[in-house]
Amino acid sequence: MGMNGSPPRGRRAAVVAGLRTPFVKAGTDFKDLSAVDLGALVVNELVVRSGVAPKEFDSVVFGQVIPSTTVTLIGREMVLRTQLPRSVQAHTVSRACATSIQTTTDAADQIQLGHSDVAISGGAEATSDAPIFASRSLAHALVDLSRAKSLSDRARILSRLRPRDFTPVPPALKEPTTGLTMGESAEIMAQKNGISREAQDELAAKSHARASAAWAAGHFDAEVMHVAVPPRYERTSTKDNVVRGDTTVQALAQLKPVFDRKYGTITAGNASPLTDGAAALVLMSEEKARSLGMAPLGFVRAYAYAALDPKDQLLQGPAYAAPVALDRAGLTLADMDLVDMHEAFAVQVLSNLQLFASKSFAEKELGRPAPLGEVNPSKLNVNGGSIALGHPFAATGARMILQTLRELGRRKGQYALLTVCAAGALGAALVLERE
Ligand SMILES: CC(C)(COP(=O)(O)OP(=O)(O)OC[C@H]1O[C@@H](n2cnc3c(N)ncnc32)[C@H](O)[C@@H]1OP(=O)(O)O)[C@@H](O)C(=O)NCCC(=O)NCCS
């Protein structure tokens, strides 16, 4: 930080290019692809389209949220499975749904420090490829069997097993400390914050309308690659398949609540869906970009991460992180030309907006004299958010950065604030600038 709260004007980290796959509902077009497959597709294509020679790259920071049991280091695989030179070092990070915000701030930090000149940041998620675990007893028996010396040893080990030990254990989207799923925690937020089903459905309908209009206007054409669909490769996935241009508040009102069937407000329509996809960015030092003749899409100006107790309102992290990121940027909410808030659930967006504008939250929780303020709806998620576009966990941050910077360019705007809530009651906020 500079003396007066503004960032040091040393080496700035520029985002010069970005790309994503279409985001598709789990179990559809990408069901035969792993996160590594999806990541490699997008990194490969991004490197080609960026026009940056592979030898210029020095690092990759990449993530996936659902761990793979067969590939433990997706970051390095993004080098080994693409045209990047083997000498490009790489690492993997996870910050749940804020993973590719983290990969981007990691890459930007390394650039600012002078440790890196040209980096790739991104994430991939294959929710269709979630590992199914064996029970502990079956796992222990299998390990013991591999060490058994005699037939009678083997027979004894196998005789320990009961039919229930063979039941597969599916992965859970549960918060380990509270035992609640994201959706259940979001229902608590709806109740505590007095957010109605109608308000949630309205936000969801707007997300679909805006995403669908953005596709129709061609805004996404240059940021979404096409993917030939395995195993036959006869079809090509060219667009997000979650977006429904015909979504209406009336149609959404018909859907049944899923996480609290009796009194709940959250439905398949006002929650982000389980999604497969990948997104990646090319970051460079400003000088490197200029020397290669590249026009930056924009720059990382400041960021902040925050956390609260998962027992409280799980997805309120953005309301804690955003004021710090704006302070670090030396800017206010009013300076922002765009605000892009990840939509895990409509209720989480509405809850965070409530806190952005709350004087008592600012005073009591943040110790600040004034709230951030109201977000102008005409600046918020203008091309749709995760409810309509989908949410492949680790890819969402990079999708938001790319989408926002390109929109900032179309509007000739200067600043944007991005926020993401994440498991563990984490929040991320990023301030981007153009020029
Ligand atoms: C909410 C959730 C359980 C719904 O899953 P699902 O039941 O497989 O959802 P579907 O896509 O089958 O939708 C259910 C129904 O709603 C309908 N629907 C969904 N979106 C709609 C829309 N925008 N307009 C109209 N109808 C819609 C579907 O057509 C479907 O109807 P049908 O049963 O008649 O076919 C799942 O998406 C989920 O777990 N989401 C939360 C993920 C999460 O935790 N995200 C946060 C991470 S930070």
Side-chain angles (χ1 to χ4, degrees):
M1 293 289 280
M3 294 290 287
N4 55 4
S6 58
R9 309 307 282 176
R11 283 162 60 97
R12 281 200 301 174
V15 178
V16 299
L19 191 67
R20 67 176 176 92
T21 66
F23 284 0
V24 306
K25 216 168 123 53
T28 65
D29 287 352
F30 299 162
K31 69 177 189 309
D32 294 325
L33 296 171
S34 66
V36 172
D37 295 334
L38 287 163
L41 279 169
V42 84
V43 170
N44 200 315
E45 179 82 9
L46 172 63
V47 171
V48 173
R49 289 200 196 184
S50 71
V52 180
K55 68 172 173 35
E56 298 285 353
F57 290 86
D58 56 51
S59 53
V60 171
V61 197
F62 219 80
Q64 68 184 108
V65 173
I66 300 175
S68 162
T69 44
T70 49
V71 175
T72 50
L73 198 58
I74 192 172
R76 181 63 174 152
E77 292 303 313
M78 293 305 99
V79 177
L80 299 177
R81 299 199 191 193
T82 64
Q83 69 278 56
L84 292 173
R86 299 294 183 256
S87 56
V88 173
Q89 61 85 12
H91 71 286
T92 299
V93 300
S94 172
R95 199 190 271 275
C97 299
T99 288
S100 52
I101 299 290
Q102 184 71 51
T103 60
T104 304
T105 60
D106 274 12
D109 285 348
Q110 290 297 302
I111 288 169
Q112 273 209 305
L113 281 166
H115 295 172
S116 164
D117 272 328
V118 184
I120 284 183
S121 145
E125 207 68 52
T127 54
S128 303
D129 188 34
I132 304 287
F133 296 99
S135 67
R136 272 289 168 95
S137 2
L138 179 57
H140 288 165
L142 290 171
V143 172
D144 291 348
L145 270 179
S146 71
R147 295 193 189 125
K149 298 214 167 54
S150 65
L151 212 59
S152 65
D153 277 356
R154 288 200 185 96
R156 198 168 33 78
I157 293 164
L158 287 173
S159 70
R160 284 189 341 225
L161 293 169
R162 297 286 166 270
R164 67 165 182 276
D165 296 332
F166 291 92
T167 311
V169 183
L173 279 171
K174 274 188 185 162
E175 204 47 46
T177 48
T178 62
L180 298 178
T181 62
M182 287 269 170
E184 287 161 350
S185 297
E187 279 295 2
I188 294 172
M189 293 172 74
Q191 274 175 26
K192 286 198 172 158
N193 305 329
I195 292 170
S196 68
R197 166 79 185 264
E198 290 71 30
Q200 294 177 47
D201 286 349
E202 221 166 87
L203 188 141
K206 197 182 267 182
S207 184
H208 280 278
R210 288 179 166 178
S212 160
W215 268 113
H219 291 348
F220 295 150
D221 293 351
E223 60 199 65
V224 180
M225 67 182 284
H226 295 179
V227 175
V229 179
R232 300 169 72 87
Y233 302 98
E234 284 165 346
R235 278 188 315 111
T236 308
S237 163
T238 58
K239 278 188 163 186
D240 307 318
N241 71 7
V242 179
V243 185
R244 299 184 182 209
D246 61 353
T247 299
T248 60
V249 175
Q250 292 73 22
L252 291 172
Q254 303 306 311
L255 301 178
K256 297 232 168 0
V258 277
F259 300 106
D260 173 353
R261 288 176 187 278
K262 208 158 176 197
Y263 302 109
T265 56
I266 298 173
T267 68
N270 59 34
S272 61
L274 293 172
T275 311
D276 298 338
L281 306 168
V282 176
L283 282 93
M284 280 185 191
S285 65
E286 187 170 14
E287 308 88 90
K288 186 73 180 181
R290 306 262 181 251
S291 78
L292 292 177
M294 309 222 32
L297 295 169
F299 299 87
V300 173
R301 180 161 169 123
Y303 66 86
Y305 296 99
L308 57 152
D309 191 325
K311 282 202 308 299
D312 301 335
Q313 299 199 34
L314 186 76
L315 303 174
Q316 296 282 47
Y320 291 79
V324 182
L326 286 168
D327 281 356
R328 288 178 180 167
L331 297 166
T332 67
L333 184 62
D335 295 321
M336 298 298 115
D337 298 292
L338 291 171
V339 175
D340 213 78
M341 196 177 263
H342 161 55
E343 301 168 344
F345 299 92
V347 70
Q348 151 269 321
V349 174
L350 294 165
S351 297
N352 277 281
L353 292 175
Q354 212 176 59
L355 290 191
F356 270 31
S358 162
K359 193 163 160 46
S360 72
F361 172 73
E363 286 171 354
K364 291 191 194 125
E365 270 294 313
L366 305 177
R368 298 169 69 90
L372 282 188
E374 305 265 352
V375 176
N376 179 340
S378 69
K379 295 181 177 177
L380 178 69
N381 296 3
V382 297
N383 291 314
S386 301
I387 290 174
L389 295 168
H391 174 36
F393 311 126
T396 288
R399 188 272 296 162
M400 291 170 66
I401 294 169
L402 176 60
Q403 190 171 312
T404 303
L405 284 176
R406 294 188 75 242
E407 181 60 32
L408 215 47
R410 276 190 292 272
R411 295 181 174 217
K412 310 233 175 308
Q414 180 74 6
Y415 300 116
L417 170 70
L418 268 60
T419 68
V420 181
C421 57
L426 292 167
L430 183 65
V431 179
L432 299 170
E433 66 184 339
R434 213 170 61 90
E435 303 290 322

